[in-house]
Amino acid sequence: MRNVLLVDDEPLIVKGMQSIIDWNANHLQIADTACNGVEALAKLDGLAVDLVITDIMMPQMTGLELIREVKVRSPLTKFIILSGYEEFNYVREGITLGVENYLLKPVNIDELEATIKHMQHDWETEEVRQIQMDLSWRILRTNILQRWANATIDAKEFRERAQLLEIPLTKSSYCAAALRIVAEHGHGMEDPQFYRPIIAEQCETIGRQHVPDGCEIICFPDQEGDIIVLFASTGREGEEWQYQALCGMKQWIASDTGACVWSVKGQPEQSSLGFPQSCKQVKLWLQNHLLGDSETFIVASDNGSKPAQTDEKWEPAMDQFHKLLRDGKSLEVDRFIDDFFDVQAEHGHMARTPCFNSAIQLMLAAKNLEKTPDYGGVFGPLSRIDTLSGLKRLVKRVVHQTLDTYHATEKDYSPHVMAVLDFVKNYYQEELSLKTLSQKLDLHPNYLGQLFQQEAGTSFSDYVNQYRIERATHLLLYSDKKTAEVATEVGYWDTSYFYRQFKKYAGVSPTELRSMYMKK
């Protein structure tokens, strides 16, 4: 609802204007009235007005003089002029001042409503423009903040942009924190990337409730989807207000999204130049750890970003696990997985690499029972896992998928299909085609392809690629051979084509696979 001020030295005119139309229906309300320009200016000191409807000829101050004064104070206010007679000079000067219309008394209702509708359109257009400007400003600020946090922006460019975007550079202490939102608890929360800027904006609003005088707080999403929090302070206030701010943000996010939220806080740095280092501490901690099942605060440091090395072995008892798989004891398999990871979790926040190594070992042990293992469900999801519980669920899902098929009735293949399977197993390094094999088997290529699809449940080309990727996976995990050597050894002479096929069937690139599984 927008505010209207009526100004006229004739009380009957003022009263009549209040009832001439349904102001509420036009999304307007009469906020106040005045009998002359001086009184109107006095009331405008404490009143936000969107529209002034004023007479021209009034004692002490004319309507045109009033308009000039108001425009200085409130450039966006709109005006409608009223007059008891038509005077060209007044009309001309009103146009110069940018009034919306010049209405003769008695006021024509249709003309007044038409003028108001025109103004409504202008207001709506201005609101959209302001929203777009605000959105553009926020997008620009987020981009600059991300580059600052990653130390990928030139110092001179950053100083210029920081001044424009109101980023503080003269405080005595700068500290970064990250809020990681993890939706792995079965509530089905959708988390599109565009939602993160909205969360960051609300977090900043909540955080400002705890900011002492002389301090500032800024929140923005980074490229991994974490909410980065910048604390800039004079260094005399302590850190309690920062923890209170983070607590308020965590509570709001959890309530709004239904997800779990973890907070990692870096060490304070003595100038804005140190903020990227504080960010790096936080991101390294998240990169090197799996989060537990309870929300908490963590304080990261240069020494604490990497998990402490322990002498304990992370290797699961694979002989026992293989036997459970062969026996098909699903409940005991689940218990084995839970017990192994729960024992490791007793040491606190778990190091990501040994956890992933053990998980990959367990999943590959199951996949090796399959005739044509598909690794897409093994490695692809690993990059999206942040919690120990999420890792356990992935391992169980992969293992159960294998058990469901492995212990089903063994399928008998026809001699022709069995010959094709054996040929792929023995000669997968070479160039293979149905045309070549069909000649060896004295069959038409189309018939052999249909027979293979029917019995194996996949096309010949897919089977060959899956088998080659299976062999490549073992070489990547358990040898030091270069990726190009691995590609050649499994039958891919074009390394770029090997990369594409590997990503298609395994869900990750060869490089990403090796980074997930760090050999001891």
Side-chain angles (χ1 to χ4, degrees):
M1 195 72 70
R2 295 185 179 275
N3 289 331
V4 180
L5 176 65
L6 297 178
V7 187
D8 201 302
D9 60 340
E10 299 181 48
L12 289 178
I13 296 295
V14 172
K15 187 174 181 180
M17 287 297 296
Q18 288 176 305
S19 59
I20 191 172
I21 62 171
D22 187 345
W23 294 97
N24 288 333
N26 288 280
H27 306 290
L28 296 170
Q29 62 182 2
I30 306 300
D32 209 337
T33 64
C35 64
N36 57 60
V38 174
E39 183 182 356
L41 283 177
K43 291 189 173 182
L44 285 171
D45 283 338
L47 182 64
V49 170
D50 302 282
L51 171 63
V52 174
I53 301 178
T54 179
D55 189 13
I56 283 187
M57 302 305 296
M58 295 180 294
Q60 301 185 53
M61 178 180 286
T62 69
L64 295 177
E65 292 171 335
L66 171 63
I67 292 172
R68 292 193 197 94
E69 289 291 333
V70 175
K71 275 190 169 292
V72 172
R73 304 182 185 188
S74 179
L76 297 180
T77 301
K78 295 183 180 296
F79 302 90
I80 294 176
I81 291 176
L82 302 179
S83 179
Y85 53 93
E86 189 169 1
E87 173 58 57
F88 178 74
N89 288 334
Y90 291 142
V91 175
R92 182 173 58 187
E93 189 169 355
I95 293 173
T96 302
L97 292 172
V99 300
E100 298 300 315
N101 205 349
Y102 183 99
L103 302 179
L104 292 175
K105 302 176 184 177
V107 175
N108 183 292
I109 295 176
D110 292 338
E111 188 176 1
L112 175 61
E113 290 190 327
T115 302
I116 289 173
K117 287 180 180 178
H118 177 78
M119 287 189 296
Q120 294 285 8
H121 179 267
D122 289 346
W123 278 322
E124 290 171 4
T125 302
E126 179 62 23
E127 285 179 348
V128 171
R129 191 180 72 84
Q130 289 294 332
I131 291 172
Q132 291 173 339
M133 287 178 60
D134 183 62
L135 181 60
S136 298
W137 184 87
R138 288 190 171 278
I139 291 173
L140 176 60
R141 189 181 75 155
T142 296
N143 177 268
I144 296 301
L145 288 167
Q146 288 176 351
R147 292 170 62 193
W148 181 28
N150 296 330
T152 57
I153 186 170
D154 175 75
K156 181 180 178 182
E157 179 188 356
F158 177 64
R159 286 194 300 271
E160 293 173 351
R161 297 300 179 97
Q163 184 176 6
L164 172 67
L165 299 170
E166 301 175 2
I167 299 173
L169 296 183
T170 58
K171 302 299 180 182
S172 302
S173 177
Y174 288 79
C175 182
L179 297 167
R180 174 157 290 184
I181 306 168
V182 183
E184 291 186 344
H185 297 266
H187 53 67
M189 168 194 167
E190 292 291 334
D191 187 29
Q193 197 67 18
F194 66 81
Y195 188 41
R196 294 304 169 103
I198 299 173
I199 294 178
E201 184 176 346
Q202 183 62 28
C203 283
E204 190 170 308
T205 301
I206 292 170
R208 284 175 178 166
Q209 298 173 7
H210 305 277
V211 176
D213 291 341
C215 302
E216 294 189 44
I217 187 170
I218 294 177
C219 301
F220 61 97
D222 69 5
Q223 294 174 332
E224 288 78 37
D226 293 326
I227 305 300
I228 303 298
V229 184
L230 160 66
F231 296 110
S233 65
T234 64
R236 299 187 299 270
E237 302 81 7
E239 298 182 12
E240 183 60 30
W241 69 275
Q242 299 175 5
Y243 290 104
Q244 290 176 354
L246 289 172
C247 183
M249 296 176 198
K250 280 164 53 76
Q251 290 176 352
W252 176 80
I253 295 173
S255 174
D256 186 67
T257 66
C260 283
V261 187
W262 282 265
S263 174
V264 181
K265 184 175 176 293
Q267 295 295 321
E269 300 290 335
Q270 293 183 351
S271 75
S272 60
L273 297 175
F275 179 66
Q277 176 61 28
S278 189
C279 285
K280 184 178 180 181
Q281 293 167 357
V282 168
K283 298 299 288 188
L284 276 176
W285 196 98
L286 289 168
Q287 177 183 322
N288 291 321
H289 292 80
L290 280 178
L291 302 171
D293 291 328
S294 59
E295 302 177 22
T296 186
F297 288 109
I298 303 105
V299 178
S301 65
D302 287 329
N303 295 329
S305 295
K306 275 197 169 184
Q309 298 296 323
T310 64
D311 295 329
E312 295 190 38
K313 281 196 170 184
W314 282 80
E315 295 280 347
M318 294 307 297
D319 290 342
Q320 179 187 353
F321 188 64
H322 281 298
K323 185 176 186 306
L324 294 176
L325 290 175
R326 289 192 299 269
D327 294 342
K329 297 180 178 180
S330 298
L331 293 178
E332 293 187 27
V333 165
D334 284 350
R335 191 177 302 116
F336 178 95
I337 294 170
D338 284 332
D339 289 346
F340 171 74
F341 284 109
D342 289 346
V343 167
Q344 312 307 326
E346 292 175 0
H347 302 291
H349 298 291
M350 300 178 64
R352 184 181 295 262
T353 296
C355 281
F356 274 27
N357 285 352
S358 298
I360 290 172
Q361 280 186 287
L362 296 173
M363 290 187 286
L364 290 182
K367 281 294 179 183
N368 287 340
L369 298 176
E370 300 178 5
K371 286 187 172 60
T372 56
D374 179 4
Y375 294 107
V378 175
F379 300 110
L382 278 174
S383 62
R384 300 186 294 273
I385 286 180
D386 293 298
T387 63
L388 177 62
S389 58
L391 185 63
K392 288 197 295 185
R393 283 196 298 274
L394 173 64
V395 174
K396 290 178 183 178
R397 183 170 69 248
V398 170
V399 170
H400 280 289
Q401 287 171 350
T402 295
L403 293 178
D404 290 342
T405 57
Y406 176 69
H407 294 285
T409 304
E410 189 75 13
K411 185 170 184 175
D412 293 326
Y413 293 105
S414 66
H416 291 124
V417 172
M418 185 62 72
V420 173
L421 295 175
D422 288 340
F423 199 87
V424 172
K425 182 177 180 181
N426 293 316
Y427 300 101
Y428 64 89
Q429 303 98 328
E430 302 177 8
E431 186 175 347
L432 298 174
S433 70
L434 273 178
K435 183 177 180 180
T436 303
L437 290 175
S438 63
Q439 290 174 351
K440 293 179 181 296
L441 298 173
D442 197 23
L443 292 173
H444 192 281
N446 290 343
Y447 173 73
L448 182 58
Q450 292 171 1
L451 185 64
F452 189 89
Q453 175 82 44
Q454 182 179 351
E455 294 189 19
T458 186
S459 69
F460 174 75
S461 62
D462 274 345
Y463 180 84
V464 172
N465 278 315
Q466 286 180 358
Y467 193 85
R468 285 171 170 169
I469 298 306
E470 175 192 354
R471 304 314 307 160
T473 297
H474 281 271
L475 290 172
L476 289 166
L477 294 180
Y478 303 118
S479 79
D480 294 321
K481 293 183 178 181
K482 296 180 179 179
T483 302
E485 295 175 322
V486 172
T488 302
E489 191 163 326
V490 299
Y492 294 102
W493 301 101
D494 183 342
T495 305
S496 62
Y497 180 70
F498 169 66
Y499 264 85
R500 292 197 298 272
Q501 293 300 105
F502 197 95
K503 184 74 179 266
K504 175 182 177 182
Y505 289 96
V508 295
S509 71
T511 304
E512 290 170 333
L513 172 65
R514 274 184 159 162
S515 69
M516 289 178 182
Y517 188 86
M518 303 297 291
K519 297 181 287 298
K520 302 175 179 61

